[in-house]
Amino acid sequence: MPKMMPFYHIPFQSGDNDILKEMLRGYTHQRYRRIIDTIRHYMPDAAVSGDAIVGFPGETEEQFEATMTLIREIGFDTVNTAAYSPRPNTPAAEWDNQVADLIKLDRLHRINALVNECAEERSSRYLNTVQEVLVEGVNPKIPTQVMGRNGGNRLTFFDGDESLVGQLVKVHVDETRTWSLTGHMVDN
């Protein structure tokens, strides 16, 4: 078993340097891109996930679009998204330039549509490949199937029983979806 799985969760929060500075993140989108470029240099097929916040106080449409561009260009496997909400005892909660809830909601819908599009595209690379899957349990919706995760952290379903739980098995991927894979077990 490899010492490192080809899956990296690296939050970025925003694709705009001014917003990142206001968030006190301590990095730029260029630095973030260099980190991802380094990972993909050594592991070209590595799965990458991140976190993004839309509607941080003062975020303009242009700054939001910079985040969309970053997501599109990186080609994330998944991005956890959220609309900014004020937290007690944080400086940004007191700022006068809060983004209207309707704008935050619109941006959240748009970013989620892009994230789904990227995830579906990234999932498709697994079609007709054999993946090593760590079996986690029985599929609660289809008891004749088990489920586990491949090295890229994609949920993978295939026929099997609970005796496979905890094992690494090889699965040929027959179908891909935005967030999961379905296949059949092949000889280990």
Side-chain angles (χ1 to χ4, degrees):
M1 179 155 173
K3 293 185 193 276
M4 282 184 62
M5 298 307 287
F7 174 77
Y8 297 87
H9 179 77
I10 307 171
F12 61 95
Q13 309 304 341
S14 176
D16 181 81
N17 290 339
D18 291 334
I19 293 293
L20 290 169
K21 186 176 181 180
E22 291 293 325
M23 290 177 166
L24 304 174
R25 294 297 172 183
Y27 55 86
T28 63
H29 75 83
Q30 292 90 343
R31 171 83 176 113
Y32 186 88
R33 288 171 191 258
R34 284 193 301 274
I35 292 168
I36 303 303
D37 288 346
T38 300
I39 291 168
R40 292 215 168 126
H41 173 78
Y42 291 102
M43 300 175 86
D45 202 35
V48 178
S49 71
D51 297 337
I53 296 172
V54 300
F56 190 78
E59 181 188 63
T60 65
E61 180 65 22
E62 183 179 88
Q63 290 169 321
F64 167 73
E65 284 297 332
T67 301
M68 298 282 279
T69 298
L70 180 72
I71 291 170
R72 207 174 283 112
E73 290 177 356
I74 296 286
F76 287 93
D77 288 74
T78 188
V79 178
N80 302 315
T81 61
Y84 170 80
S85 58
R87 298 284 188 250
N89 304 315
T90 61
E94 305 300 322
W95 296 351
D96 293 333
N97 57 351
Q98 301 295 318
V99 174
D101 287 344
L102 284 176
I103 292 172
K104 288 192 279 191
L105 187 60
D106 172 66
R107 290 178 183 171
L108 187 60
H109 286 303
R110 288 162 46 204
I111 201 169
N112 285 339
L114 177 60
V115 167
N116 286 341
E117 185 181 307
C118 291
E120 188 169 338
E121 182 179 322
R122 293 291 291 168
S123 267
S124 70
R125 75 189 190 276
Y126 296 120
L127 186 62
N128 292 319
T129 65
V130 174
Q131 297 292 306
E132 192 169 52
V133 174
L134 176 59
V135 182
E136 297 175 348
V138 174
N139 181 348
K141 294 181 181 177
I142 305 173
T144 59
Q145 285 186 342
V146 291
M147 58 188 189
R149 295 187 183 272
N150 74 346
N153 203 35
R154 272 292 186 263
L155 196 55
T156 306
F157 299 97
F158 58 96
D159 287 341
D161 61 42
E162 64 185 46
S163 69
L164 295 171
V165 174
Q167 294 184 43
L168 283 169
V169 298
K170 293 189 185 318
V171 176
H172 180 274
V173 177
D174 302 315
E175 181 184 354
T176 63
R177 288 173 298 288
T178 305
W179 305 113
S180 65
L181 313 171
T182 299
H184 64 275
M185 196 163 59
V186 296
D187 292 334
N188 283 308

